[in-house]
Structure formats: C-alpha cells, structure tokens
Amino acid sequence: MARKGRKGTAARASAKRREAAPHAAEARIVPTLSGLLAEKRVYKPSAAFRRQANCNDAKVYERAARNLEKFWGEWARKLEWFKPPKKVREWKAPFAKWFADGKLNVSVNCLDRHVKTARRNKAALVWEGEPGDRRTYTYWELWREVNQFANVLKRLGVRKGDRVAIYLPMIPEAAIAMLACARLGAIHSVVFGGFSAESLKDRINDARAKLLITADGGYRRGNLLPLKQYADEALAHCPTIENVVVVKRGGAEFPVHIREGRDHWWHRLMQDAGGWCEPAAVNSEDLLFILYTSGTTGKPKGIVHSTAGYLIGVLATTAWVFDLKEDDLFWCTADIGWVTGHSYTVYGPLALGATTLMYEGAPDWPARDRFWDICERHGVTVFYTAPTAIRAFMKWGAEHIGKHDLSRLRLIGTVGEPINPEVWVWYQQTVGGGRCPVVDTWWQTETGHILITPLPGLTALKPGSATRPFPGVSADVVDAEGRRVDPEASGGGGYLVLTRPYPGMLRGIWGDPERYKQEYWSRYPGLYFTGDGAKRDEDGYFWLLGRVDDVLNVAGHRIGTAEVESELVDHKAVAEAAVVGIPHELKGEAIAAFVTLKDGHGASDPVELMDELKEHVVRKIGAISRPDRILFAADLPKTRSGKIMRRLLRDVATGRALGDTTTLADPSVIESLKARYAEE
Ligand code: PRX
C-alpha cells in the first residue's frame, strides 16, 4: 500500500481504485479486528437504512405475538388465490394446517402475477455459468419457459401429486423445472448434484418418483461432472422412473448415453411445446416439494413442505430479512439442491418479484476473486452465503475482495452454521465495507424459511448472534427436562425448541409419520425439538451453539453420523464404525471415523485402506461426506449393554481429557485408543 503523502504511481493507482471502489479502502481496516471484537460493539442500523427498510416498525413483534393469525393472514392476502382462504391456522399438535381451505398455484404467484405488471420485462433470473457463459431471463421469458416445460412434463405423463426427481447442476433449467412441477401440482424432489448415484437412487426410490430431470454434466473447477452417467447407474435400480429429461450442458463432444424411449433431450422436447399451460388449482396443504436431509438414523428423511404455508413463509422472510426492493439484485450462493437454494434463490425472491442471481461453479474458479468479480459485474446489492465460505475468503485474504468495486452491496447475510464473532466482524468490514448490516439467519430444511434473524432496519446486531425470532415465531431454550433455562443463570445454555407453529413448518416425513413424531416431538411434549444447542443472553438474543444430536455440520452440510457409519460397515473389511465430528478451521466441523476391521482384513498397508474407505464413502454418499480422519481400532469403547460411547470418542478425537468412563465395559479400550490417536 502506498504511504500517506507520496505522490508516486502506486499512490495514484490506489487513489484511482478507491474512487472506483469506494469501500475497497475500508477493507484495509481489518487489522483492527481484535479491537472491534474487544469493544463488544453492538451494530445499530443507520438512520438511512432504517428509513428505507421494508420493515422498520418495532411494534411488529408485539402485534404478531398478540394476533398470530392476523399477522400471517395479512401476508397471505399479498398472494393471488384461485380460492382465497377463510381459515388461517389449524393446530392439532404436532400437525399444523395453514390456510387449509384456500387454492392457489406457486408458479402463478412467482411468475404470472408479475407478468401482468410492469415487472414483465424486469430480470427475474440472472445466471452465470462457471466457464463464464451468461443468461438473463426476464419475468416474461421465465414464465414462457416454465409454461413450455410444464407442457413437456404433462406430455410425458406427469400429473398433480406425482413425484419428479431433479438432479441438475446450478443452471436455469433447475429453477424452470421446479416451477414447472409447481405449475402442474407435481411434487419435486431436488437431489444435490454432488450426491452419488447411490444417494440419488435411494431418494428416487423412497419418493417413488416417476420422472427424472438431469443434465449430461455440470461444471466444477473447470471439469464437467458426468451427472447423466451417475444417473444411469442409479436408474438401473429405479423401477418407478418412466422418463428422463436430459439438459445438454456439455459441448457436443461430451459423451452421454441416451436410452431410446426413456431418455429425451430437454431442448428437443421444448421445440414443440406450447407457451401456455393451464396452472393447476392446488390446495394450500398439498405438497410442493420433498427435500431429503440427514437425521439421526442411517436413512435420510424426506422432509415435506406444503404449498401455501411455505410460500407465505418465504415471501415474508425474503421481504423483511433481505429487505429486497424493485432494483435490488439478490445473490444467495447456496446450491439449489439444499433448502436455502429452494427458498432464497427460487421461491422467495420470485414470489416477491425481485431479481435473483444464480452461479454454477466454485468460488475459487478460475481465481479466488470469482464471487467478487460476479458481484461487481452484475451489481449485486444483497448477498447471502455460509460461514464456511466466509472463513475461506478470510483465509484467502482481503486482497481478492479489494480488487473489486463492491460499493453496490447494501446488505449481507449468512446461514447454515454458527458464525464466530471474529468471522462476522471480518465479513461486515471487508465484504460489507463496514456499512452493510449482516443478517445471521437461523433455520433448517424442516422450517422451510428463516426463523431466528435480525430485521436489518430494526435490530441492533451482535456479532455471532442470530438475534431474535422473526415476528410471529416463538423459540425457547430448555434444559434436558424441558424446563425453560433462565438466561441470567449459568450462561443460559440449553436446547433450542420452537413453541408455536409457523406457516412453513414441515408437514412431516415422506412416508413415515411415526418418525416425524419421534424425531421432533417426542423429546418434549408439545415442543418442536430442533436438534440445536443455544443460549439466550440478557437481551433475549439467541446464540446458536451447533447440533446436539448425532448430526454433523460439515461446511454447512448436514451429515448424519449413522449414514457414514452404515456405509463404512458396508465395506468388506470393516466390522464396526463410529463417526464423530472434530473442529475444523474452515469447514467448522470435519468427520473422524473410528473403525474396527474384520478378522483377516488387518491391512498390510493401512494408509491405502484408509484412502479406500474414504473413497468408498464418497462413492456411496458423495464428496461432502468424505471422512477427514480414519483411525483403526482393535475395539470401540462400549457400555456394558453394548452401546458405543461416542462422547468418549469425541474426547479422543479432539484431544480433550476423557469424560466419565465409569460406565465402560472395558476401560482399557479407550486408553489404548487415546494413545494411538495421539501418535497419529
Ligand atoms: O444446526 C443448525 C445449522 O444448520 C442446521 C440446519 O441444517 P439444514 O437443514 O441443512 O439447513 C441449513 C440452511 C437453513 C441447523 O439445525 N444452522 C443453520 N443456520 C444457522 C445454523 N447454526 C447456527 N447459526 C445459523 N445461522
């Protein structure tokens, strides 16, 4: 950096850059991070932000709490209905219905409603592919594509209530496919493109999907991932799939197998599809989608979301949390295969008539400033990403950000994991230029939309806290017996529960109502158990502490320890496996697996076997589940009744002092493990 007062070329260049990028200079404040943290500063919204905010009336909290039905009913009136609902909520714990006597269509609300107004020619979806190709769809164009593709699906026999699996990269066709399903009242089940053939197969079969939409490939770090090839492996075991629609993403030379009669190219089918498809009048409580996520058993659960409640929840939170205006450009960086991509790349912004940006590839391709390059070139104004990504940006260095003019950004957000206060402050200073409010939003696949969050025009922010429940949402922190934890007492920590239903709440687990009751409602009668630890401070702010069940959060991805364990024991050499989470600088948490081998499989080359086991898990589930560490053990620590004591394994893996070992059947097992782990 040029020294003050010097008039050399470097100083002139730097001043020029500052002119072009007003906040690039502010990015250099970062070295004062520890000072900012030590101050325990509370970040109040500026008067200017507050004035322009979509929600700037602090009384909303009280009004919503006093009359929940009126509060959500007012949001419902913003939608277009075939039959407006008279009822708001029916609650027979643990089953909720919202706006149950209404009829509507999600694609009409995301598209037709806007096409009838001045938004007709406004950009709805701005897309950039990893190689740099770009496409922008106006509301009119997106509406046309969705109508055409709905006609394609109809011709291939898709009807209301049918399940359609979507296994696509981050390309516009993913959003078009979702909206086309919604137009017909078909239920989509999007499977993240990073999942393996086996994971895809399990999800297709559980949902009994009739049709699959995939692509020949998708770009990741310059390579084309052969999605269709994975899909073909899955389809060999998916008897319910009748037709496959394949998007051509790779070039003509990219090899792909097309099975005559079953597989159809997207672009060919679209050529003769009509531009108008009558939208189905869907009941409020009919399902919009299934999305699989990890729980505490080896089998992923299909979380089901309804039509009206979900749409109203994402509409309200997109409007108030992201504060979107007509001229904003919103970029939620999540993949469409996760709930964040569903709610805040597709449904929330489009329901609101906003412009949403979608990017196909990696943040460091071809260079580590790709995200900021996208923000600058497209003029992104509201940006939403995960703490894992922010930690990586922080490690890569502020210079990648300083190169770009991010002065258009006015609000930034985070989701998916607890964010450390120092990372929060870095984000606020470096990406947010010290002027953007940061919304740390807590929610889950199950909740459908954001539940604990600042309202950027109202809330004084504390770095590391997701602050307060959204108006109309009610959360609490309880102890193991379900008693409310007093925030003043002993740190105020406990288990996060939700105490009232809200519109987007999951309606159950596909095909397994018992598991729904068991997983969420059995621990504390009448309360929804989130699986998260939390504490509340003296101001009533919530601080999320991570999962307290056997679910890991690796780089913002939810991974059930039981899923990884069952794939490990599926390997011919493995007798038993126990998986625990270990802290990781970038990913938040990483996977450590303790493995005992079958007799006769004592590896001659343990490193080779370790790699083989890691690859086995990747092949079975997907790269997100790759264990970071594998430790071979002669035995695993168990209670006298044979239960593996993961708590002790966690102590071993993190190098902590061992907790209570009195219930162990054989205490020597853990001692030898501890010695081995320390050695490696
Ligand atoms: O542990 C919490 C964490 O992510 C879990 C939900 O994961 P998933 O269903 O994959 O949805 C992620 C995106 C909504 C939660 O149980 N989590 C999510 N947001 C936060 C968070 N932890 C701390 N702070 C957050 N803001």
Side-chain angles (χ1 to χ4, degrees), residues 293 338-340 414-419 440-446 452 466 530-532 544-547 553 556-558:
T293 190
W338 309 117
V339 74
T340 312
T414 141
V415 60
E417 305 151 71
I419 181 163
D440 172 4
T441 62
W442 177 91
W443 57 297
Q444 307 177 305
T445 306
E446 290 86 341
I452 302 181
T530 60
D532 276 346
L544 280 307
L545 304 173
R547 301 289 304 194
N553 193 330
H557 302 314
R558 232 166 109 166

Side-chain angles (χ1 to χ4, degrees), residues 655-668:
R656 279 195 304 244
L658 291 180
D660 184 5
T661 56
T662 49
T663 49
L664 272 178
D666 178 0
S668 70

Side-chain angles (χ1 to χ4, degrees), residues 205 356 622:
N205 288 341
T356 183

Side-chain angles (χ1 to χ4, degrees), residues 186-208:
I187 301 166
H188 60 69
S189 164
V190 182
V191 180
F192 171 53
F195 274 128
S196 66
E198 178 116 357
S199 297
L200 174 65
K201 175 202 83 182
D202 291 344
R203 284 157 177 76
I204 289 176
N205 288 341
D206 187 77
R208 302 183 64 75

